[in-house]
């Protein structure tokens, strides 16, 4: 059962209202709004502290919409984090996106289960290997470090940290 009440926009204080507008009019659109107008997923908790929630959602927008990681590589990494963190919300939301990017049910199952997955694209295979190392070991050996460029590594480690944070918040607030 959810621990955090979804607050309709008319009940928000001005700072939370500004953040609500930023989230719902941004690239995520109204995807994260329930029928009563409350935010779903991790965004509802961000309204508790707009001073922290706004930079957090901005980081998420940068990771999702402004990084050099391709769409498939990004969703692949998010799904590895979601599976490792056992985050049903992240899993469901991002499996839907991944399907739209051409991931098969078999590939999604392998990501969910942490099973071996052979990917024909070398860049995606590298992202998979590096992300799995990051979530299981919290570090990379020299061979894993060499699989991606430093910019990609920076963006990927940021993505892993961001989605790990969301998974923790989703779990604590029982979203």
């Amino acid at each position: 059962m959810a621990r955090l009440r979804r607050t309709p926009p008319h009940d928000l204080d001005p700072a939370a209202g500004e953040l609500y507008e930023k989230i719902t009019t941004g690239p995520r659109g109204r995807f994260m709004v329930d029928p009563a107008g409350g935010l779903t997923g991790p965004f509802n908790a961000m309204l508790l502290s707009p001073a922290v929630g706004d930079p957090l959602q901005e980081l998420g927008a940068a990771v999702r919409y402004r990084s050099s990681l391709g769409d498939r590589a990004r969703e692949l990494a998010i799904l590895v984090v979601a599976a490792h963190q056992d985050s049903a919300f992240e899993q469901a939301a991002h499996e839907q996106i991944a399907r739209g990017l051409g991931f098969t049910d078999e590939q999604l199952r392998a990501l969910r289960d942490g099973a071996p997955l052979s990917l024909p694209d070398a860049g995606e295979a590298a992202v998979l290997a590096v992300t799995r190392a990051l979530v299981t070991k919290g570090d990379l050996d020299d061979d894993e470090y060499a699989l991606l460029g430093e910019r990609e590594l920076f963006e990927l480690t940021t993505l892993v940290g961001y989605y790990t944070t969301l998974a923790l918040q989703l779990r604590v607030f029982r979203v």
Side-chain angles (χ1 to χ4, degrees), residues 18-99:
E18 279 183 40
L19 179 54
Y20 177 95
E21 285 301 313
K22 198 175 208 180
I23 291 168
T24 59
T25 61
R28 297 173 191 98
R30 301 201 60 85
F31 174 71
M32 293 295 185
V33 179
D34 70 16
L39 291 179
T40 63
F43 300 101
N44 188 42
M46 292 177 192
L47 299 175
L48 295 170
S49 175
V52 175
D54 188 23
L56 182 60
Q57 71 84 25
E58 280 291 337
L59 175 61
V63 166
R64 284 225 29 226
Y65 304 110
R66 299 189 297 269
S67 105
S68 66
L69 296 171
D71 292 344
R72 284 180 52 93
R74 181 192 65 242
E75 293 306 317
L76 181 70
I78 293 168
L79 289 171
V80 169
V81 174
H84 182 74
Q85 293 293 328
D86 195 24
S87 180
F89 183 91
E90 285 178 343
Q91 197 82 43
H94 289 278
E95 279 188 1
Q96 181 179 359
I97 295 167
R99 276 190 187 89

Side-chain angles (χ1 to χ4, degrees), residues 72-73 76 103 107 111 116-129:
R72 284 180 52 93
L76 181 70
F103 282 90
Q107 290 171 322
L111 289 169
L117 176 58
S118 177
L119 295 167
D121 181 276
E124 290 175 13
V127 166
L128 175 63

Side-chain angles (χ1 to χ4, degrees), residues 132-153:
R132 282 183 168 172
L134 289 170
V135 299
T136 58
K137 301 186 305 184
D139 196 3
L140 302 174
D141 63 31
D142 290 342
D143 290 336
E144 292 159 339
Y145 183 90
L147 290 173
L148 298 171
E150 289 179 330
R151 178 180 176 170
E152 289 174 301
L153 279 172

